[in-house]
Amino acid sequence: MKKSRAETAQTRQRILEVAVQAFKSKGITATGVAEIMAGAGLSHGGFYRHFETKEQLVAKACAASMATFVQSFEAAAAGGHESFLKHLQDFLSTAHRDEMLGGCALVAIGSELVRADAETRRAATQGFEDLVDVIAKWMPQKDSSSAKDEALFTLSAMIGAVTMARMIDDPALSARTLDVARERLAPQPSRPQKKRARSTRG
Amino acid sequence: MKKSRAETAQTRQRILEVAVQAFKSKGITATGVAEIMAGAGLSHGGFYRHFETKEQLVAKACAASMATFVQSFEAAAAGGHESFLKHLQDFLSTAHRDEMLGGCALVAIGSELVRADAETRRAATQGFEDLVDVIAKWMPQKDSSSAKDEALFTLSAMIGAVTMARMIDDPALSARTLDVARERLAPQPSRPQKKRARSTRG
DNA sequence: TGTACATCAGTGAACGCGCGTTCACTGATGTAC
DNA sequence: TGTACATCAGTGAACGCGCGTTCACTGATGTAC
């Protein structure tokens, strides 16, 4: 039952997409190869016609997921400062918190990536750095060096906030965690102010 | 071979301590019950004399780890503002990044805690909130509400920074991630200034 | 305080199960002539 | 363009292994008298 080259490429792509969603929703270790193949409508044995090991799939899935995520950021950034700011706010929204499948892999499997193999960490780091570069373009800092620093802080803080918001079992505290991050990292420039925004409460 | 009550309590404590370290260094899913028991010098069968399930052990281990971590924060906070600030800086140090065993569970297994059971998430959330409260005491904000907001932001940002610093495979970028977080979240008050510290570079 | 007995911490074999990976096989695809 | 054959995507059984959990058993501990 050999398939055409086009079909083979499609199948590989399908496995990759299912893997990305499975890893992000269930975690890397807790997701099995057979489970992914079943999700792609295939039996488990054919997996090794497309990937050498599960580890390699993890690396490719991480790279694919990050590439998609970076693209969405670049598209938003290309739409101007307002569009970019909206994208930062969406990252820190309850919608992103509650949506594991389409969300950021660095949030969904962050602590698992720490223990992943070299190729996977490389892909994750590359994606992280790409995001930093996109964010840096819209930072108010004059020189690019301190703009990148600010972007580096912004991104790592956002990832921490969404991760904790997902973990926290108290809905009010979870929402507040996102709110305070949004106020500080992606403030609405409704009233002109150069400095970091302060809390709008109390 | 029944053991005395004191011995039984010691054994349970030993299992818990081994579990805390194993979960933090290898992750929850990747750590087996037999492995933990072997680490405590026991065979795997006796595990169920101390805990009902692996999930329950995870919850207890999470609670124990967070309690220890909160205590270290409280001790540092009791030593005055300088001592407290030093503790924040230590959290964002390369030493904490490289030390999985004694470090913060929210960093080590953050994305796994999202998928943990209710009891574990409760323990993690409680620990998180306790840390927020300790940090809030030393925040410069006047009213306690916005001090807690600032502490909430500080803690979630610190967790994101250390998690990403552990994942990043480029040593310079990893160190810079910690640096920029330290500058913004735990600035040295060497020259008196009320506002958030700026980058000391560029 | 001493004896008889119930309790239960810990052992190690065994349970069913799913894991990642391998392999013989099938048959459509792609290639060589 | 048509035929002969090598390739290889996908199947499904099987591999060894480790998982969480159970259980019969042992013998020291704690208790009741």
Side-chain angles (χ1 to χ4, degrees):
Chain A
M1 305 177 176
K2 186 179 181 181
K3 294 297 169 67
S4 71
R5 286 175 183 168
E7 276 178 305
T8 302
Q10 275 174 22
T11 300
R12 188 191 152 98
Q13 190 57 30
R14 194 150 29 89
I15 295 170
L16 217 39
E17 280 163 14
V18 172
V20 164
Q21 299 218 347
F23 290 147
K24 286 203 274 192
S25 63
K26 287 195 61 182
I28 295 171
T29 315
T31 301
V33 167
E35 185 183 347
I36 292 165
M37 291 301 278
L42 297 162
S43 62
H44 61 277
F47 174 77
Y48 296 89
R49 297 280 170 198
H50 296 279
F51 302 94
E52 287 173 26
T53 59
K54 183 193 175 183
E55 275 206 321
Q56 193 191 63
L57 172 66
V58 171
K60 301 293 184 193
C62 183
S65 178
M66 289 310 297
T68 304
F69 204 76
V70 169
Q71 276 168 30
S72 77
F73 249 88
E74 283 170 344
H81 185 257
E82 203 173 330
S83 164
F84 164 77
L85 208 67
K86 174 68 163 52
H87 208 66
L88 283 198
Q89 288 163 358
D90 285 348
F91 192 111
L92 291 163
S93 66
T94 52
H96 182 211
R97 178 195 63 190
D98 300 335
E99 174 60 44
M100 307 285 256
L101 301 182
C104 178
L106 300 173
V107 173
I109 51 174
S111 62
E112 281 193 277
L113 289 173
V114 172
R115 291 176 268 272
D117 72 351
E119 205 189 334
T120 302
R121 287 182 65 203
R122 185 84 285 277
T125 301
Q126 189 58 60
F128 180 83
E129 215 164 348
D130 290 346
L131 287 176
V132 168
D133 289 341
V134 176
I135 295 170
K137 284 180 194 158
W138 285 109
M139 286 291 115
Q141 279 74 9
K142 292 154 201 162
D143 65 303
S144 69
S145 174
S146 58
K148 183 168 178 179
D149 280 355
E150 190 66 24
L152 191 53
F153 175 71
T154 298
L155 182 58
S156 61
M158 290 201 305
I159 288 164
V162 180
T163 304
M164 288 301 103
R166 280 185 182 169
M167 183 207 72
I168 292 165
D169 68 353
D170 172 6
L173 184 64
S174 174
R176 190 89 205 115
T177 302
L178 295 175
D179 285 346
V180 298
R182 210 181 312 107
E183 285 164 7
R184 283 158 182 78
L185 302 171
Q188 274 299 355
S190 51
R191 293 161 204 165
Q193 51 185 15
K194 282 193 69 179
K195 284 180 292 188
R196 201 178 285 276
R198 313 295 281 266
S199 169
T200 56
R201 296 199 321 169
Chain B
M1 303 177 176
K2 184 180 181 181
K3 295 298 169 66
S4 70
R5 285 176 185 166
E7 276 178 303
T8 302
Q10 276 174 20
T11 299
R12 187 191 152 99
Q13 190 57 31
R14 194 148 30 89
I15 295 170
L16 216 40
E17 280 162 14
V18 172
V20 164
Q21 297 217 348
F23 290 148
K24 285 202 274 192
S25 62
K26 288 196 60 180
I28 297 171
T29 316
T31 302
V33 167
E35 186 183 346
I36 292 165
M37 292 300 278
L42 299 162
S43 61
H44 60 279
F47 174 77
Y48 296 89
R49 296 281 170 198
H50 296 279
F51 302 95
E52 288 173 26
T53 59
K54 182 191 176 185
E55 274 205 321
Q56 194 192 63
L57 171 66
V58 171
K60 301 292 184 193
C62 183
S65 178
M66 289 310 298
T68 303
F69 203 77
V70 168
Q71 275 168 30
S72 76
F73 249 88
E74 282 171 344
H81 185 257
E82 202 173 329
S83 163
F84 164 78
L85 208 65
K86 174 70 163 50
H87 208 67
L88 283 197
Q89 289 162 358
D90 286 349
F91 192 110
L92 291 164
S93 66
T94 52
H96 182 211
R97 177 196 63 189
D98 300 336
E99 174 60 43
M100 308 286 258
L101 301 181
C104 179
L106 300 174
V107 172
I109 51 173
S111 62
E112 282 193 277
L113 289 172
V114 171
R115 290 177 268 273
D117 73 349
E119 205 190 333
T120 302
R121 289 181 64 203
R122 186 83 284 279
T125 301
Q126 189 59 60
F128 179 84
E129 215 165 347
D130 290 346
L131 287 176
V132 168
D133 288 341
V134 176
I135 296 170
K137 284 181 195 158
W138 285 108
M139 287 290 115
Q141 280 73 10
K142 292 155 202 160
D143 65 301
S144 69
S145 173
S146 56
K148 182 169 178 179
D149 281 355
E150 190 66 25
L152 191 52
F153 174 71
T154 298
L155 182 58
S156 60
M158 291 200 305
I159 289 165
V162 181
T163 304
M164 288 300 102
R166 281 184 182 170
M167 183 208 73
I168 293 165
D169 67 353
D170 171 7
L173 184 63
S174 174
R176 190 89 204 115
T177 302
L178 295 175
D179 285 345
V180 298
R182 209 179 314 106
E183 286 164 6
R184 284 159 181 77
L185 301 171
Q188 274 299 354
S190 52
R191 293 160 204 166
Q193 51 185 16
K194 282 193 70 179
K195 282 181 291 187
R196 198 177 287 276
R198 313 294 281 266
S199 170
T200 55
R201 293 200 321 169

